[in-house]
């Protein structure tokens, strides 16, 4: 537990307990049905390796990279895994604030309000996301007794079984096809990091640089956290005068609450690489699809509509706050980038993107793939 002046700054255990208490129950499935879903997802995850690597022409750099575990989890299991990841990534920022805590009046306030409040805030956030994520490749998550990781810290792949079942029922699509389709997307992420040895360290370095640029006293950090929590609970949906928030405010995600100019530059680079990774996964899952997922066209059409509309007004508002709308744009822009480059240069030409950090597309190149192609040809 990260502490601040003897008081926990983030009560991670409370975050897990809060999220577990608030998360919606999953769809009704018999015990036999649940076992069948878990077994099928594991089979599809294994089969996806060959499909994805053959289509992308990407192979693991080292044999150990193929040992990344595939974990089929429920919603609380997803929460626990992500709390472990949050602790790992945020520890440098929390340690930095802790160093500035001594002698700061704001720090005393943060210490008093501190861990319980932020624990609840994180729990609220995770409870919202836990019922929406279908799968996730955890790049930086540390291994635990309950949640093993891959060799050399290579992460793990999570498939959230109740969410997959919920969506396949909601869309009324073939469940076997849908489960394989989801596995193809997540396996693409595992292949990206297994075949590109420098990618994990590069992204981690960018994230740590982003956090390292956060230079605020504890009272300011407390204010930003409270703003985020108030927004998440909906209490900032309107101003004191009852008028709607500005479009700019609505577009702001939690991450934007702590940005400096340097952080915005780093975030631009991170946005570009994440757009690439997500778009590549979407391109691959649909590219492989016709060969192994007979109903892929129907699944994609229905899934795109669901992505675009959300589940209701509250869902849409929370997606804007958390930056999930920006993530949807990443999928679309990234997929268009990959498609355009492959059409121009072929798969081997596109794979030059994985040569080094210098060959990654910039944020502007994601929107204008011809610029990246021209840079590679120069």
């Amino acid at each position: 537990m990260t502490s601040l002046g003897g008081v926990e700054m983030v009560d991670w255990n409370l975050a897990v307990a809060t999220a577990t208490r608030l998360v919606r129950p999953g769809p009704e499935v018999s015990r036999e049905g649940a076992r069948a879903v878990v077994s099928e997802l594991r089979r599809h995850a294994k089969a996806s390796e060959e499909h994805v690597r053959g289509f992308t022409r990407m192979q693991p750099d080292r044999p150990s990279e193929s040992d990344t575990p595939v974990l089929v989890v429920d919603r609380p299991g997803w929460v626990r895994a992500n709390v472990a990841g949050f602790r790992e990534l945020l520890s440098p920022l929390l340690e930095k604030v802790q160093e500035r805590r001594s002698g700061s009046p704001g720090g005393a306030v943060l210490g008093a309000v501190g861990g319980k409040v932020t624990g609840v805030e994180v729990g609220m956030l995770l409870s919202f996301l836990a019922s929406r994520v279908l799968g996730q490749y955890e790049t930086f998550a540390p291994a635990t007794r309950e949640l093993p990781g891959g060799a050399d810290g290579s992460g793990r792949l999570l498939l959230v079984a109740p969410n997959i079942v919920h969506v396949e029922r909601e869309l009324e699509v073939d469940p076997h096809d849908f489960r394989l389709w989801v596995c193809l997307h997540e396996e693409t992420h595992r292949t990206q990091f297994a075949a590109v040895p420098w990618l994990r360290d590069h992204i981690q370095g960018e994230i740590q640089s982003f956090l390292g640029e956060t230079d605020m006293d504890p009272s300011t950090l407390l204010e930003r956290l409270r703003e985020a929590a108030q927004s998440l609970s909906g209490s900032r949906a309107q101003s004191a005068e009852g008028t709607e928030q500005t479009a700019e405010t609505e577009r702001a995600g939690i991450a934007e609450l702590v940005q400096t100019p340097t952080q915005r530059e780093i975030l631009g680079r991170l946005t570009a690489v994440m757009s690439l990774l997500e778009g590549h996964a979407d391109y691959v899952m649909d590219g492989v699809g016709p060969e192994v997922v007979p109903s892929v066209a129907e699944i994609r059409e229905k899934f795109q509509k669901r992505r675009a509309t959300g589940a209701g007004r509250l869902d849409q508002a929370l997606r804007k706050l958390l930056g999930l709308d920006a993530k949807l744009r990443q999928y679309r822009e990234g997929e268009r980038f990959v498609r355009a480059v492959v059409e121009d240069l072929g798969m081997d030409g596109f794979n030059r993107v994985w040569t080094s950090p210098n060959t990654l597309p910039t944020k502007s190149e994601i929107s204008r793939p011809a610029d990246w192609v021209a840079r590679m040809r120069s």
Side-chain angles (χ1 to χ4, degrees):
M1 198 71 66
T2 300
S3 63
L4 190 61
V7 180
E8 294 170 356
M9 184 174 177
V10 179
D11 189 335
W12 298 108
N13 291 332
L14 180 58
V16 171
T18 300
T20 302
R21 185 175 68 253
L22 295 179
V23 72
R24 300 173 185 175
E28 291 187 9
V29 181
S30 68
R31 181 169 297 182
E32 293 75 16
R35 289 198 188 101
V37 171
V38 171
S39 177
E40 184 173 19
L41 286 173
R42 287 176 176 158
R43 290 198 307 272
H44 285 332
K46 182 63 178 177
S48 294
E49 291 184 23
E50 182 178 352
H51 296 316
V52 169
R53 293 171 187 179
F55 182 81
T56 63
R57 303 178 191 174
M58 299 172 69
Q59 294 295 327
D61 181 64
R62 293 173 296 175
S64 63
E65 298 290 351
S66 297
D67 297 333
T68 306
V70 176
L71 307 180
V72 181
V73 298
D74 58 10
R75 291 169 178 175
W78 180 88
V79 167
R80 288 191 293 272
N82 276 266
V83 164
F86 278 171
R87 293 180 71 170
E88 185 82 0
L89 283 177
L90 292 178
S91 58
L93 173 62
L94 299 184
E95 290 170 2
K96 184 175 182 178
V97 175
Q98 182 178 4
E99 292 174 358
R100 301 191 59 176
R101 166 34 176 125
S102 179
S104 169
V109 175
L110 182 57
V113 177
K116 302 300 180 184
V117 171
T118 51
V120 169
E121 291 164 359
V122 172
M124 291 168 62
L125 167 63
L126 291 174
S127 70
F128 173 75
L129 295 175
S131 61
R132 286 156 175 79
V133 176
L134 301 181
Q136 175 183 359
Y137 182 76
E138 283 201 296
T139 315
F140 310 111
T144 67
R145 183 174 60 184
E146 293 181 344
L147 297 162
D152 303 321
S154 57
R156 53 181 168 248
L157 192 153
L158 305 179
L159 296 169
V160 190
N163 296 348
I164 293 172
V165 171
H166 172 78
V167 174
E168 69 192 24
R169 290 178 178 178
E170 182 182 279
L171 298 181
E172 297 181 336
V173 295
D174 182 282
H176 308 293
D177 284 2
F178 184 75
R179 293 166 195 174
L180 176 54
W181 189 69
V182 171
C183 289
L184 289 170
H185 182 102
E186 301 310 327
E187 175 57 35
T188 302
H189 287 315
R190 181 163 68 158
T191 296
Q192 289 163 348
F193 286 92
V196 186
W198 53 264
L199 185 58
R200 180 182 186 273
D201 289 342
H202 172 71
I203 294 177
Q204 186 173 33
E206 292 280 54
I207 292 173
Q208 295 305 333
S209 295
F210 180 91
L211 296 177
E213 285 293 324
T214 301
D215 189 17
M216 61 179 66
D217 59 69
S219 61
T220 303
L221 179 59
L222 173 62
E223 179 183 352
R224 299 294 173 83
L225 289 171
R226 294 169 89 177
E227 287 175 358
Q230 289 167 357
S231 296
L232 183 58
S233 66
S235 61
R236 288 171 58 87
Q238 294 184 330
S239 69
E241 290 77 20
T243 57
E244 295 292 331
Q245 296 185 98
T246 66
E248 185 66 29
T249 301
E250 288 181 338
R251 284 196 297 268
I254 286 178
E256 292 176 324
L257 294 173
V258 294
Q259 282 182 41
T260 65
T262 301
Q263 283 178 311
R264 291 189 184 97
E265 293 180 7
I266 298 171
L267 191 62
R269 296 194 297 269
L270 279 170
T271 298
V273 70
M274 296 311 297
S275 297
L276 171 68
L277 298 179
E278 295 293 359
H280 184 235
D282 262 17
Y283 177 81
V284 171
M285 71 194 297
D286 287 347
V288 173
E291 298 294 327
V292 296
V293 183
S295 58
V296 64
E298 177 193 2
I299 291 173
R300 167 57 70 187
E301 180 182 3
K302 291 182 175 181
F303 194 74
Q304 288 287 62
K305 289 181 179 178
R306 184 181 187 275
R307 267 184 180 174
T309 59
R313 292 184 64 187
L314 176 60
D315 184 77
Q316 292 171 16
L318 288 172
R319 289 191 336 183
K320 286 182 178 180
L321 170 70
L322 300 177
L324 300 185
D325 279 354
K327 185 174 179 64
L328 297 183
R329 289 193 295 274
Q330 287 179 10
Y331 282 103
R332 292 192 296 268
E333 293 181 358
E335 195 275 340
R336 284 195 293 266
F337 172 86
V338 176
R339 184 175 301 279
V341 173
V342 172
E343 288 176 356
D344 194 342
L345 303 179
M347 186 62 74
D348 290 335
F350 165 78
N351 281 341
R352 289 185 62 191
V353 77
W354 311 117
T355 304
S356 75
N358 293 330
T359 57
L360 291 172
T362 64
K363 189 176 180 180
S364 64
E365 287 172 340
I366 287 288
S367 302
R368 296 191 294 273
D371 291 353
W372 182 85
V373 171
R375 180 160 67 91
M376 293 301 101
R377 284 173 169 163
S378 62

